[in-house]
Each structure stands twice: as C-alpha cells, then as structure tokens.
Amino acid sequence: VFQLSVPLNFLGSVYRELRQSLLDMETLFNLQKVNVAVKDKPDAKPLLLSSGEIKFENVTFGYRPNRPIFKNLNLTIPAGKKVAIVGPSGCGKSTILRLLFRYYDTQEGRILIDGQDIRDVSLESLRKAIGVVPQDTPLFNDTIGHNIRYGNLEASHDQVIEAAKRANIHETINHFPDGYLTMVGERGMMISGGEKQRLAISRLILKDPPLLFFDEATSALDTHTEQSLLSHINSIIKERKRTSVFIAHRLRTIYDSDLIIVLKGGSVAESGTHEQLVDRAGLYSELWSAQETLFADAEEEKEVAGDA
Ligand code: ATP
C-alpha cells in the first residue's frame, strides 16, 4: 500500500500541474477571445513571409452580423515600417489584431500577408509569424524565467537574460527574492502592470517574430520607463526592419510612426504622418490638441505639487 501511494501522489501532483496549465490556457484563450469555429483548410499551406506587408481589402466584419464594426475597410500596413492605428474607443483597433490572428474570419473581403489570403495558410504558421504585446499579459504559474522563455521554448538561459535586459526588466528581476527562479502568477509573487508589460516585451524579443503588434503595450508604465522602453523597441524595429503596428490611445507614444491610420465609423478616416495629419486639421489633429492640453495641465499640476 505504501509503495503504491508514492506513484499516486506523484501522479496527483502531475495531474494538478496539468490541470493548472489547462486553466492557464483557458485564461489565455479567454483573453484572446478565441473562436474555435476558425479552422485550417484541408490544403492549408504554411505562410511564406517575404517583406511583411499586411493588407485589408474591402473587409466587412461584425461580432454580430447585423452590427458591423468594419464596412469595406481598406488599409495597407507597409512592410518593415512602424505603423500606428488610432481612433476613438470602440472603433475596432483591437479587432484588427483579432482578425489578423484569425480568431474570427471576415464576413466579406480578405486579409493578405505578403499577398497570401490568411484563410489559405495554416493557423500555426500564421500565429507564429505575429508577436503581440497585449494590454493585459497572461502570466503562468511558473518562475519568472520560464514566463519569459514562453516566447521561445528553445531559448538558453543567457538568451532569456539578454531579452530581459533589452526589455528593461533584468534589474527588477534580480531584486526579486529568488531572481529568475521567483514564482509568479496567481499562486506566486504578484507583479505590477508595468512589470508585466516589460515581461511581455522580453517574451516578444525572444520570439522575434516578423510581424510585431503592440496593443496599448506601454500604458501601465510611468512616462520615464515608457520613453526608455519605446526607444529600445524603436531600435529593435529599425535594426531588424520589422513591420510593427502600435495600437494606441496616447498619441505621444506613436507620433513618430512612419504611418498613422485613423479609424472611425468602420473605415479609415484619414492616414499619413503626424505632420501631414496635423496640417489636415481633421480628427487626428483634434485628438492631438485635446491630449496635448491634458498633458500640459498634468505637467503643470505636477510642478505646482512639486513647489508646495
Ligand atoms: P478601445 O480603444 O476601447 O480598446 P477598440 O478600438 O480596440 O477599443 P475593439 O476592442 O476592437 O475596439 O472593439 C470594437 C467594438 O466591438 C466595440 O464596440 C466592442 O464593444 C465590440 N466587441 C469587441 N469584442 C467583442 C466580442 N467578442 N463580442 C461582441 N462585441 C465585441
């Protein structure tokens, strides 16, 4: 009896681990709003990436067919450029990303990556090509080191550390009680929103995908950390010529993009560089002025508080 209880206990713990990781996957899938109806075609081929151009052609889509979010949306995200997608809350910025990942299929029109309709390629190759730093990063009940390695399971410890350094989180991890072996997640040490975002960026650096998406990726960081991280990200993008898309509310984080696409009412309201859009005196320029006023007020408040 005694001998038998050992392997049973062992199995029990394996079962608990397995159960926990399934729970984690569920959370991850819920966060990403996966639609299981989307499947590979029987003859699906792997996505072949060349330059990394993304095109939405006449895309009509709504979560409910009678409530379209996009109506004949046309947009091109040029290869190797830094592109921002902005627009009022609820205009469909994150939906662009969900469609690209094929969590949903379009009702009309098509989405092309380097000329290939994403419905013709395997889901695995499609999702492997896209890296995302989401608004809320899922953490696994595991060590912080493994949480970074989740970006690339084959990465060595040195590569994990290098990625953490580039994402500005190495020093923070060194101050954790067990360094890279510190348990995080629901059953481990709680880490802040800003630390989670830097963790997600280190995962992305390890994954090194050809297409990069940042969905409000630096919103939980203070201005100083955000600026320093954005300049790191910018240098990675430039150095490796990655197509990168920033979904953003705060225009200060994206005004230096090669192209800014402004969505409104289901289609592209305007697009261009920051200078072009400010000159146009349209929606972007309105949003920019409103945010700059808020920013100036906040700075003034800080100064007043500092003087007091
Ligand atoms: P925000 O700037 O506030 O993050 P967003 O521009 O990214 O918004 P989306 O998240 O793309 O907007 O959502 C677009 C619209 O679709 C919103 O009205 C939202 O409520 C709705 N929506 C999003 N996800 C679903 C869903 N799974 N089912 C039904 N409606 C949804």
Side-chain angles (χ1 to χ4, degrees):
V1 172
F2 181 70
Q3 267 182 337
L4 195 65
S5 73
V6 177
L8 274 184
N9 273 342
F10 173 68
L11 276 182
S13 84
V14 168
Y15 171 76
R16 273 192 300 278
E17 287 297 317
L18 193 65
R19 175 92 198 106
Q20 188 56 47
S21 52
L22 287 177
L23 278 180
D24 285 338
M25 285 315 276
E26 272 165 31
T27 334
L28 187 65
F29 276 71
N30 279 337
L31 280 171
Q32 297 181 332
K33 301 192 174 80
V34 167
N35 178 354
V36 285
V38 173
K39 287 203 176 74
D40 270 355
K41 278 188 181 171
D43 58 346
K45 294 181 232 16
L47 172 69
L48 294 176
L49 266 144
S50 45
S51 57
E53 183 199 63
I54 302 169
K55 244 187 169 149
F56 279 57
E57 275 184 4
N58 294 314
V59 167
T60 296
F61 172 77
Y63 292 96
R64 279 177 231 110
N66 53 353
R67 249 196 85 221
I69 309 279
F70 299 130
K71 282 165 266 168
N72 288 315
L73 174 71
N74 284 293
L75 61 85
T76 301
I77 296 170
K81 301 284 185 205
K82 178 176 173 180
V83 178
I85 299 181
V86 304
S89 182
C91 69
K93 301 183 289 294
S94 304
T95 303
I96 298 256
L97 189 52
R98 288 183 208 126
L99 287 176
L100 199 61
F101 257 100
R102 270 196 86 206
Y103 291 147
Y104 299 90
D105 275 332
T106 60
Q107 272 124 24
E108 276 170 53
R110 50 185 201 155
I111 301 171
L112 305 167
I113 298 180
D114 284 337
Q116 300 147 85
D117 188 324
I118 62 171
R119 286 170 300 195
D120 296 337
V121 304
S122 73
L123 283 170
E124 194 198 345
S125 66
L126 173 71
R127 291 177 186 168
K128 227 165 134 178
I130 309 169
V132 185
V133 181
Q135 285 173 26
D136 190 14
T137 307
L139 277 186
F140 295 94
N141 286 318
D142 203 336
T143 63
I144 187 120
H146 282 146
N147 265 281
I148 296 175
R149 190 172 280 111
Y150 173 71
N152 172 6
L153 297 176
E154 271 125 56
S156 68
H157 186 58
D158 285 348
Q159 285 171 315
V160 168
I161 292 180
E162 184 54 33
K165 280 186 181 158
R166 298 196 74 164
N168 241 335
I169 193 172
H170 174 68
E171 289 302 319
T172 315
I173 295 173
N174 275 342
H175 285 102
F176 285 173
D178 298 311
Y180 280 82
L181 296 175
T182 308
M183 292 295 288
V184 293
E186 272 165 38
R187 294 183 301 170
M189 199 177 109
M190 296 305 281
I191 71 170
S192 75
E195 286 162 356
K196 270 191 181 180
Q197 290 190 328
R198 284 180 283 158
L199 191 74
I201 290 164
S202 55
R203 265 183 198 161
L204 188 75
I205 292 171
L206 266 194
K207 183 175 173 181
D208 195 20
L211 309 172
L212 308 174
F213 274 80
F214 300 86
D215 191 353
E216 294 287 343
T218 54
S219 55
L221 302 175
D222 62 78
T223 315
H224 177 73
T225 315
E226 177 171 55
Q227 284 312 322
S228 114
L229 197 54
L230 281 172
S231 77
H232 269 284
I233 294 174
N234 280 341
S235 71
I236 295 170
I237 294 168
K238 284 232 171 73
E239 183 187 301
R240 306 195 190 166
K241 293 207 173 56
R242 296 290 190 238
T243 305
S244 52
V245 182
F246 288 75
I247 293 174
H249 270 292
R250 288 163 318 132
L251 305 181
R252 272 189 162 251
T253 61
I254 56 89
Y255 74 95
D256 61 345
S257 303
D258 298 309
L259 176 70
I260 301 169
I261 298 173
V262 188
L263 293 181
K264 199 196 169 190
S267 53
V268 176
E270 51 192 22
S271 68
T273 61
H274 173 80
E275 283 73 25
Q276 289 165 343
L277 292 173
V278 167
D279 281 349
R280 245 188 87 119
L283 180 59
Y284 178 86
S285 127
E286 231 172 77
L287 290 170
W288 176 260
S289 312
Q291 290 189 6
E292 283 303 282
T293 311
L294 278 178
F295 186 78
D297 287 352
E299 288 294 292
E300 207 170 290
E301 257 171 49
K302 260 192 233 162
E303 264 170 43
V304 172
D307 290 344

